[in-house]
Amino acid sequence: MGKQLLLENINVQGISTLEVYRANGGYKALEKALKMQQSEVVDEVKKSGLRGRGGAGFPTGMKWGFIAKPEGVPRHLVCNADESEPGTFKDRFLMQNKPHMLIEGMILSSYALGANVSYIYIRGELLYVYHILEKAIQEAYDAGLLGKNILGSGFDLELYVQCGAGAYICGEETALIESLEGKRGNPRIKPPFPAVSGVWGRPTVVNNVETIAATVPIILMGGDEYAKIGIGKSTGTKLISACGHLAKPGVYEIEMGLSTEEFIYSENYCGGIKNGKKLKAVVAGGSSVPILPAELFLKTAKGEPRLMSYESLADGGFATGTMLGSGGFIVLDETASIVKNLWNFTRFYHHESCGQCSPCREGTGWMEKVLHRILEGHGKQSDVDLLFDIQSKIDGKTICPLGEAASWPVASAIRHFRAEFEEYVNHPEKIKDVKHYYNMRNLQPTA
Amino acid sequence: MSKEIKFTDDTMALVQRMIKRYPEGKQKSALIPVLHLAQMEFDGWLDAPVMDYVALILNIKPIEVYEVASFYSMFNLKPVGKCLIEVCRTGPCWLLGAEDLVRHIEKKLNIKDGETTPDGMFTLKTVECLAACGTAPVIQVGETYHENMSTESVDTMLNDYKSSGERKTHFDKKHIKTQL
Ligand SMILES: Cc1cc2nc3c(=O)[nH]c(=O)nc-3n(C[C@H](O)[C@H](O)[C@H](O)COP(=O)(O)O)c2cc1C
Ligand code: SF4
Ligand code: FES
């Protein structure tokens, strides 16, 4: 196992309480940060090479550097705890078990950004975690870690949790901001970027839970030391939430650069495929990233071992590569139907489209219908090309990246598994092997 | 709705606390949390008079409440049973048997997805990824996550809820006092 910076002490009894968290070194990073200049804290994060853990991988220090600082206008830090990307469950795991690590990260990051009121936006389904956070925040207030003049530093911070109510799109940062303002989660057109005009038109930084938590070890060990972990521009550790047909699904903290083969097959990690079956395909970074067949996932097109890093997973571009994304790692064994899996994801994106842009709103629905037709045994030879065509007309033509998130899985599944789609079209009797129960509307049973 | 639409004093105090989390004049930001409290207080769903009441409290137009209530999947605009059984239907849960669970529950309760049992005890609903895919398949009831579910454990779960007969909502009433 590699270094455990985020999951360290996660199994210590009572680590969710302030007392035990502090007894295990908690809030030391905050004490250290509050003795530094705000700009020094930003510099350490820049030096660490930390990249956003919410999916896009944008350098965190650089993002912090963009925040506008108009005189007399409050700024806000908002933590994105909306975690809804299928296959992703690392933020929930961290918040539920170590709520104070997120709170510590929120305080020191707010200090770095000069924010005096910050919010954690958590998805509504996680109300039980909302209550865990509320309790932990109260403990922090009672101990003088939040509120006025934190630890005698002169820095004030109010920290609040706000819950959503079921909408994947609210994970997109501008939709999240709309939701925080009490509106529908309709993404905004950028620019202006949140760093200039975010919540209530004020400069705002939105960061993922894991990103914020990672600032704690970065301040403790120093940005340069953190940057030594990992490989190339993929510095530090990453939480991977592994699920699907695995012997040992769960949340693992890996040092970036671990080989994909070791991650799947080693007993230290996922322990191989469930029930000794063969690996068929992997969706490595949450449902939106391109799916890769086993061979291309374990080795790049050049025949080099594939590594768990932003660069190695993207090696080969979309032709033969994928993305690290959110670290939502979904494994499909030899029995899984790629077509049905794709139908399920497409149905998801159609359901979650906010409806503002016609390519996304209509296109996701068309793709779902065409896939449904194929699964019902009424597919035509031209349907596979039609699907590819629809997705290409969504990609890059929408307000927010949900459009791409819906089109990439379709493009990659056809690119790598075209034969399976054609088999369904040409030999509808084969579909009987696929467990097939739902129809396309609201999953009403067909049989 | 027969009873008067009015939050209890404790809930109202929590609402006031929530409003204070946002700048002056930005009380609309409290809308989603307050709608959760309204569902908790008024039988698990949002009837139009309930939404009007929330609009009044937050000093916003009723339409601003309706458009939000109809956008988010956790807000029920129709009556629901005492226990809302929400089965995750997304990819990773589907890979590990979510379909079988839905079919099993439909047979057992003799209702379809979206319907409520005649005794008003259960409503079945399929929902999207609950961020617990590592312990798939997953079912949410109120605030509780039931993980690694099988048809047997579903039976036990349903029996337990039935014998307790309690209303389960997303925002559990027991938290009101502790958050004041
Ligand atoms: C459709 C969609 C859903 C998203 N969902 C999430 C999410 O659940 N959690 C998250 O942290 N970021 C999510 N993002 C990314 C955010 O927009 C944003 O990039 C991120 O919160 C920035 O934080 P980071 O730089 O720390 O990663 C989503 C983006 C899109 C387009
Ligand atoms: S791409 Fe889809 S989700 Fe994003 S703004 Fe457009 S319609 Fe809404
Ligand atoms: S797919 Fe069911 S919890 Fe993620």
mmCIF file of all heavy atoms in Angstrom, chain A residues 305-341:
data_model
loop_
_atom_site.group_PDB
_atom_site.id
_atom_site.type_symbol
_atom_site.label_atom_id
_atom_site.label_comp_id
_atom_site.label_asym_id
_atom_site.label_seq_id
_atom_site.Cartn_x
_atom_site.Cartn_y
_atom_site.Cartn_z
ATOM 1 N N PRO A 305 2.682 -0.463 -19.866
ATOM 2 C CA PRO A 305 1.696 -0.663 -18.795
ATOM 3 C C PRO A 305 0.929 0.632 -18.541
ATOM 4 O O PRO A 305 1.519 1.709 -18.527
ATOM 5 C CB PRO A 305 2.546 -1.007 -17.560
ATOM 6 C CG PRO A 305 3.904 -1.301 -18.068
ATOM 7 C CD PRO A 305 4.064 -0.655 -19.397
ATOM 8 N N ARG A 306 -0.376 0.534 -18.372
ATOM 9 C CA ARG A 306 -1.207 1.707 -18.106
ATOM 10 C C ARG A 306 -1.119 2.000 -16.610
ATOM 11 O O ARG A 306 -1.160 1.092 -15.783
ATOM 12 C CB ARG A 306 -2.636 1.397 -18.527
ATOM 13 C CG ARG A 306 -3.627 2.484 -18.359
ATOM 14 C CD ARG A 306 -3.789 3.410 -19.530
ATOM 15 N NE ARG A 306 -4.379 2.839 -20.729
ATOM 16 C CZ ARG A 306 -4.539 3.553 -21.852
ATOM 17 N NH1 ARG A 306 -4.146 4.808 -21.905
ATOM 18 N NH2 ARG A 306 -5.073 2.995 -22.923
ATOM 19 N N LEU A 307 -0.984 3.294 -16.269
ATOM 20 C CA LEU A 307 -0.868 3.680 -14.864
ATOM 21 C C LEU A 307 -2.087 4.484 -14.419
ATOM 22 O O LEU A 307 -2.752 5.123 -15.228
ATOM 23 C CB LEU A 307 0.389 4.529 -14.643
ATOM 24 C CG LEU A 307 1.693 3.972 -15.208
ATOM 25 C CD1 LEU A 307 2.844 4.947 -14.938
ATOM 26 C CD2 LEU A 307 2.011 2.597 -14.600
ATOM 27 N N MET A 308 -2.329 4.478 -13.128
ATOM 28 C CA MET A 308 -3.403 5.301 -12.571
ATOM 29 C C MET A 308 -2.861 6.723 -12.390
ATOM 30 O O MET A 308 -2.345 7.080 -11.331
ATOM 31 C CB MET A 308 -3.849 4.741 -11.222
ATOM 32 C CG MET A 308 -4.387 3.316 -11.270
ATOM 33 S SD MET A 308 -5.998 3.202 -12.058
ATOM 34 C CE MET A 308 -7.047 3.834 -10.763
ATOM 35 N N SER A 309 -2.914 7.515 -13.454
ATOM 36 C CA SER A 309 -2.510 8.921 -13.390
ATOM 37 C C SER A 309 -3.296 9.655 -14.474
ATOM 38 O O SER A 309 -3.814 9.024 -15.398
ATOM 39 C CB SER A 309 -1.007 9.074 -13.646
ATOM 40 O OG SER A 309 -0.715 8.837 -15.009
ATOM 41 N N TYR A 310 -3.375 10.973 -14.347
ATOM 42 C CA TYR A 310 -4.126 11.753 -15.342
ATOM 43 C C TYR A 310 -3.573 11.485 -16.742
ATOM 44 O O TYR A 310 -4.317 11.235 -17.680
ATOM 45 C CB TYR A 310 -4.018 13.262 -15.049
ATOM 46 C CG TYR A 310 -4.720 13.708 -13.791
ATOM 47 C CD1 TYR A 310 -4.017 13.948 -12.613
ATOM 48 C CD2 TYR A 310 -6.100 13.888 -13.774
ATOM 49 C CE1 TYR A 310 -4.664 14.369 -11.448
ATOM 50 C CE2 TYR A 310 -6.755 14.311 -12.621
ATOM 51 C CZ TYR A 310 -6.031 14.548 -11.466
ATOM 52 O OH TYR A 310 -6.678 14.961 -10.318
ATOM 53 N N GLU A 311 -2.208 11.485 -16.864
ATOM 54 C CA GLU A 311 -1.595 11.398 -18.182
ATOM 55 C C GLU A 311 -1.692 9.995 -18.769
ATOM 56 O O GLU A 311 -2.041 9.820 -19.934
ATOM 57 C CB GLU A 311 -0.122 11.829 -18.115
ATOM 58 C CG GLU A 311 0.070 13.316 -17.857
ATOM 59 C CD GLU A 311 -0.237 13.730 -16.421
ATOM 60 O OE1 GLU A 311 -0.153 12.869 -15.510
ATOM 61 O OE2 GLU A 311 -0.573 14.911 -16.198
ATOM 62 N N SER A 312 -1.358 8.990 -17.964
ATOM 63 C CA SER A 312 -1.321 7.641 -18.520
ATOM 64 C C SER A 312 -2.718 7.169 -18.921
ATOM 65 O O SER A 312 -2.901 6.543 -19.969
ATOM 66 C CB SER A 312 -0.698 6.672 -17.516
ATOM 67 O OG SER A 312 -0.646 5.375 -18.055
ATOM 68 N N LEU A 313 -3.720 7.493 -18.121
ATOM 69 C CA LEU A 313 -5.073 7.057 -18.488
ATOM 70 C C LEU A 313 -5.547 7.773 -19.753
ATOM 71 O O LEU A 313 -6.321 7.224 -20.530
ATOM 72 C CB LEU A 313 -6.055 7.310 -17.328
ATOM 73 C CG LEU A 313 -5.957 6.272 -16.202
ATOM 74 C CD1 LEU A 313 -6.759 6.710 -14.988
ATOM 75 C CD2 LEU A 313 -6.420 4.894 -16.658
ATOM 76 N N ALA A 314 -5.030 8.977 -19.979
ATOM 77 C CA ALA A 314 -5.441 9.730 -21.163
ATOM 78 C C ALA A 314 -4.568 9.399 -22.370
ATOM 79 O O ALA A 314 -4.809 9.913 -23.472
ATOM 80 C CB ALA A 314 -5.392 11.226 -20.859
ATOM 81 N N ASP A 315 -3.557 8.566 -22.174
ATOM 82 C CA ASP A 315 -2.630 8.244 -23.262
ATOM 83 C C ASP A 315 -3.390 7.643 -24.449
ATOM 84 O O ASP A 315 -4.159 6.697 -24.284
ATOM 85 C CB ASP A 315 -1.575 7.263 -22.743
ATOM 86 C CG ASP A 315 -0.455 7.041 -23.749
ATOM 87 O OD1 ASP A 315 -0.715 6.475 -24.830
ATOM 88 O OD2 ASP A 315 0.677 7.435 -23.437
ATOM 89 N N GLY A 316 -3.160 8.204 -25.619
ATOM 90 C CA GLY A 316 -3.856 7.715 -26.812
ATOM 91 C C GLY A 316 -5.080 8.549 -27.140
ATOM 92 O O GLY A 316 -5.798 8.267 -28.098
ATOM 93 N N GLY A 317 -5.318 9.582 -26.338
ATOM 94 C CA GLY A 317 -6.492 10.428 -26.581
ATOM 95 C C GLY A 317 -7.761 9.593 -26.492
ATOM 96 O O GLY A 317 -7.780 8.539 -25.849
ATOM 97 N N PHE A 318 -8.815 10.059 -27.134
ATOM 98 C CA PHE A 318 -10.055 9.289 -27.057
ATOM 99 C C PHE A 318 -10.028 8.069 -27.974
ATOM 100 O O PHE A 318 -10.870 7.190 -27.852
ATOM 101 C CB PHE A 318 -11.266 10.173 -27.364
ATOM 102 C CG PHE A 318 -11.710 10.951 -26.155
ATOM 103 C CD1 PHE A 318 -11.005 10.872 -24.966
ATOM 104 C CD2 PHE A 318 -12.846 11.737 -26.198
ATOM 105 C CE1 PHE A 318 -11.405 11.577 -23.837
ATOM 106 C CE2 PHE A 318 -13.268 12.448 -25.070
ATOM 107 C CZ PHE A 318 -12.541 12.370 -23.896
ATOM 108 N N ALA A 319 -9.036 7.999 -28.888
ATOM 109 C CA ALA A 319 -8.978 6.831 -29.761
ATOM 110 C C ALA A 319 -8.693 5.570 -28.952
ATOM 111 O O ALA A 319 -9.373 4.551 -29.102
ATOM 112 C CB ALA A 319 -7.910 7.030 -30.833
ATOM 113 N N THR A 320 -7.705 5.662 -28.055
ATOM 114 C CA THR A 320 -7.345 4.450 -27.293
ATOM 115 C C THR A 320 -7.202 4.719 -25.803
ATOM 116 O O THR A 320 -6.771 3.842 -25.053
ATOM 117 C CB THR A 320 -6.015 3.847 -27.804
ATOM 118 O OG1 THR A 320 -4.980 4.853 -27.682
ATOM 119 C CG2 THR A 320 -6.133 3.400 -29.250
ATOM 120 N N GLY A 321 -7.514 5.920 -25.363
ATOM 121 C CA GLY A 321 -7.346 6.242 -23.951
ATOM 122 C C GLY A 321 -8.651 6.644 -23.297
ATOM 123 O O GLY A 321 -9.726 6.550 -23.886
ATOM 124 N N THR A 322 -8.558 7.116 -22.042
ATOM 125 C CA THR A 322 -9.745 7.551 -21.304
ATOM 126 C C THR A 322 -9.348 8.697 -20.380
ATOM 127 O O THR A 322 -8.479 9.490 -20.736
ATOM 128 C CB THR A 322 -10.403 6.365 -20.576
ATOM 129 O OG1 THR A 322 -11.535 6.840 -19.877
ATOM 130 C CG2 THR A 322 -9.463 5.657 -19.601
ATOM 131 N N MET A 323 -9.930 8.777 -19.179
ATOM 132 C CA MET A 323 -9.619 9.852 -18.236
ATOM 133 C C MET A 323 -9.684 9.339 -16.802
ATOM 134 O O MET A 323 -10.415 8.405 -16.511
ATOM 135 C CB MET A 323 -10.663 10.974 -18.374
ATOM 136 C CG MET A 323 -10.532 11.810 -19.638
ATOM 137 S SD MET A 323 -12.070 12.665 -19.973
ATOM 138 C CE MET A 323 -12.039 13.907 -18.715
ATOM 139 N N LEU A 324 -8.926 10.020 -15.929
ATOM 140 C CA LEU A 324 -8.984 9.665 -14.506
ATOM 141 C C LEU A 324 -10.282 10.178 -13.871
ATOM 142 O O LEU A 324 -10.805 9.573 -12.936
ATOM 143 C CB LEU A 324 -7.766 10.253 -13.778
ATOM 144 C CG LEU A 324 -7.653 10.017 -12.284
ATOM 145 C CD1 LEU A 324 -7.566 8.525 -11.961
ATOM 146 C CD2 LEU A 324 -6.438 10.730 -11.697
ATOM 147 N N GLY A 325 -10.774 11.286 -14.390
ATOM 148 C CA GLY A 325 -12.058 11.818 -13.935
ATOM 149 C C GLY A 325 -12.167 11.948 -12.434
ATOM 150 O O GLY A 325 -11.261 12.448 -11.765
ATOM 151 N N SER A 326 -13.274 11.478 -11.882
ATOM 152 C CA SER A 326 -13.537 11.605 -10.451
ATOM 153 C C SER A 326 -12.952 10.438 -9.662
ATOM 154 O O SER A 326 -13.024 10.436 -8.440
ATOM 155 C CB SER A 326 -15.045 11.627 -10.225
ATOM 156 O OG SER A 326 -15.597 10.386 -10.660
ATOM 157 N N GLY A 327 -12.400 9.440 -10.359
ATOM 158 C CA GLY A 327 -11.906 8.256 -9.658
ATOM 159 C C GLY A 327 -13.008 7.244 -9.386
ATOM 160 O O GLY A 327 -12.856 6.346 -8.570
ATOM 161 N N GLY A 328 -14.122 7.394 -10.077
ATOM 162 C CA GLY A 328 -15.213 6.406 -9.969
ATOM 163 C C GLY A 328 -14.907 5.246 -10.915
ATOM 164 O O GLY A 328 -15.052 5.382 -12.119
ATOM 165 N N PHE A 329 -14.485 4.141 -10.351
ATOM 166 C CA PHE A 329 -13.851 3.064 -11.115
ATOM 167 C C PHE A 329 -14.843 1.901 -11.237
ATOM 168 O O PHE A 329 -15.094 1.195 -10.266
ATOM 169 C CB PHE A 329 -12.608 2.647 -10.315
ATOM 170 C CG PHE A 329 -11.619 1.789 -11.029
ATOM 171 C CD1 PHE A 329 -10.604 2.369 -11.783
ATOM 172 C CD2 PHE A 329 -11.654 0.409 -10.912
ATOM 173 C CE1 PHE A 329 -9.647 1.576 -12.418
ATOM 174 C CE2 PHE A 329 -10.704 -0.392 -11.541
ATOM 175 C CZ PHE A 329 -9.695 0.198 -12.295
ATOM 176 N N ILE A 330 -15.421 1.743 -12.448
ATOM 177 C CA ILE A 330 -16.478 0.742 -12.622
ATOM 178 C C ILE A 330 -15.951 -0.400 -13.481
ATOM 179 O O ILE A 330 -15.498 -0.179 -14.603
ATOM 180 C CB ILE A 330 -17.719 1.364 -13.299
ATOM 181 C CG1 ILE A 330 -18.151 2.643 -12.563
ATOM 182 C CG2 ILE A 330 -18.863 0.352 -13.365
ATOM 183 C CD1 ILE A 330 -19.164 3.481 -13.337
ATOM 184 N N VAL A 331 -16.002 -1.610 -12.945
ATOM 185 C CA VAL A 331 -15.429 -2.760 -13.631
ATOM 186 C C VAL A 331 -16.534 -3.690 -14.141
ATOM 187 O O VAL A 331 -17.470 -4.022 -13.405
ATOM 188 C CB VAL A 331 -14.488 -3.511 -12.666
ATOM 189 C CG1 VAL A 331 -14.102 -4.861 -13.235
ATOM 190 C CG2 VAL A 331 -13.242 -2.662 -12.413
ATOM 191 N N LEU A 332 -16.418 -4.071 -15.418
ATOM 192 C CA LEU A 332 -17.410 -4.976 -16.025
ATOM 193 C C LEU A 332 -16.734 -6.302 -16.355
ATOM 194 O O LEU A 332 -15.694 -6.311 -17.018
ATOM 195 C CB LEU A 332 -17.975 -4.358 -17.315
ATOM 196 C CG LEU A 332 -19.010 -3.243 -17.162
ATOM 197 C CD1 LEU A 332 -18.373 -1.949 -16.704
ATOM 198 C CD2 LEU A 332 -19.740 -3.006 -18.473
ATOM 199 N N ASP A 333 -17.315 -7.403 -15.933
ATOM 200 C CA ASP A 333 -16.714 -8.699 -16.235
ATOM 201 C C ASP A 333 -17.261 -9.238 -17.556
ATOM 202 O O ASP A 333 -18.111 -8.611 -18.204
ATOM 203 C CB ASP A 333 -16.881 -9.675 -15.061
ATOM 204 C CG ASP A 333 -18.290 -10.250 -14.957
ATOM 205 O OD1 ASP A 333 -19.095 -10.081 -15.893
ATOM 206 O OD2 ASP A 333 -18.576 -10.872 -13.918
ATOM 207 N N GLU A 334 -16.777 -10.412 -17.935
ATOM 208 C CA GLU A 334 -17.092 -10.969 -19.263
ATOM 209 C C GLU A 334 -18.589 -11.183 -19.486
ATOM 210 O O GLU A 334 -19.031 -11.281 -20.630
ATOM 211 C CB GLU A 334 -16.340 -12.298 -19.428
ATOM 212 C CG GLU A 334 -16.672 -13.288 -18.307
ATOM 213 C CD GLU A 334 -15.757 -14.515 -18.314
ATOM 214 O OE1 GLU A 334 -15.524 -15.067 -19.394
ATOM 215 O OE2 GLU A 334 -15.291 -14.911 -17.218
ATOM 216 N N THR A 335 -19.383 -11.267 -18.417
ATOM 217 C CA THR A 335 -20.812 -11.522 -18.597
ATOM 218 C C THR A 335 -21.612 -10.250 -18.879
ATOM 219 O O THR A 335 -22.780 -10.306 -19.235
ATOM 220 C CB THR A 335 -21.425 -12.164 -17.326
ATOM 221 O OG1 THR A 335 -21.353 -11.199 -16.254
ATOM 222 C CG2 THR A 335 -20.688 -13.421 -16.911
ATOM 223 N N ALA A 336 -20.993 -9.073 -18.654
ATOM 224 C CA ALA A 336 -21.752 -7.829 -18.750
ATOM 225 C C ALA A 336 -22.049 -7.460 -20.205
ATOM 226 O O ALA A 336 -21.241 -7.707 -21.091
ATOM 227 C CB ALA A 336 -20.975 -6.693 -18.084
ATOM 228 N N SER A 337 -23.205 -6.873 -20.429
ATOM 229 C CA SER A 337 -23.575 -6.404 -21.758
ATOM 230 C C SER A 337 -23.179 -4.937 -21.897
ATOM 231 O O SER A 337 -23.673 -4.081 -21.167
ATOM 232 C CB SER A 337 -25.088 -6.553 -21.960
ATOM 233 O OG SER A 337 -25.507 -5.718 -23.025
ATOM 234 N N ILE A 338 -22.284 -4.673 -22.835
ATOM 235 C CA ILE A 338 -21.842 -3.285 -23.052
ATOM 236 C C ILE A 338 -23.022 -2.439 -23.522
ATOM 237 O O ILE A 338 -23.188 -1.288 -23.117
ATOM 238 C CB ILE A 338 -20.715 -3.246 -24.120
ATOM 239 C CG1 ILE A 338 -19.493 -4.036 -23.643
ATOM 240 C CG2 ILE A 338 -20.356 -1.808 -24.486
ATOM 241 C CD1 ILE A 338 -18.770 -3.454 -22.460
ATOM 242 N N VAL A 339 -23.865 -3.025 -24.368
ATOM 243 C CA VAL A 339 -24.995 -2.274 -24.932
ATOM 244 C C VAL A 339 -25.969 -1.881 -23.830
ATOM 245 O O VAL A 339 -26.415 -0.743 -23.732
ATOM 246 C CB VAL A 339 -25.714 -3.093 -26.022
ATOM 247 C CG1 VAL A 339 -26.858 -2.294 -26.625
ATOM 248 C CG2 VAL A 339 -24.727 -3.522 -27.107
ATOM 249 N N LYS A 340 -26.255 -2.835 -22.966
ATOM 250 C CA LYS A 340 -27.216 -2.519 -21.910
ATOM 251 C C LYS A 340 -26.633 -1.553 -20.888
ATOM 252 O O LYS A 340 -27.324 -0.675 -20.372
ATOM 253 C CB LYS A 340 -27.681 -3.800 -21.217
ATOM 254 C CG LYS A 340 -28.723 -3.487 -20.165
ATOM 255 C CD LYS A 340 -29.951 -4.301 -20.256
ATOM 256 C CE LYS A 340 -31.019 -3.722 -19.342
ATOM 257 N NZ LYS A 340 -31.822 -4.710 -18.693
ATOM 258 N N ASN A 341 -25.343 -1.714 -20.605
ATOM 259 C CA ASN A 341 -24.693 -0.774 -19.700
ATOM 260 C C ASN A 341 -24.773 0.635 -20.279
ATOM 261 O O ASN A 341 -25.065 1.594 -19.573
ATOM 262 C CB ASN A 341 -23.230 -1.187 -19.489
ATOM 263 C CG ASN A 341 -22.561 -0.393 -18.394
ATOM 264 O OD1 ASN A 341 -23.003 -0.385 -17.249
ATOM 265 N ND2 ASN A 341 -21.512 0.328 -18.753
#
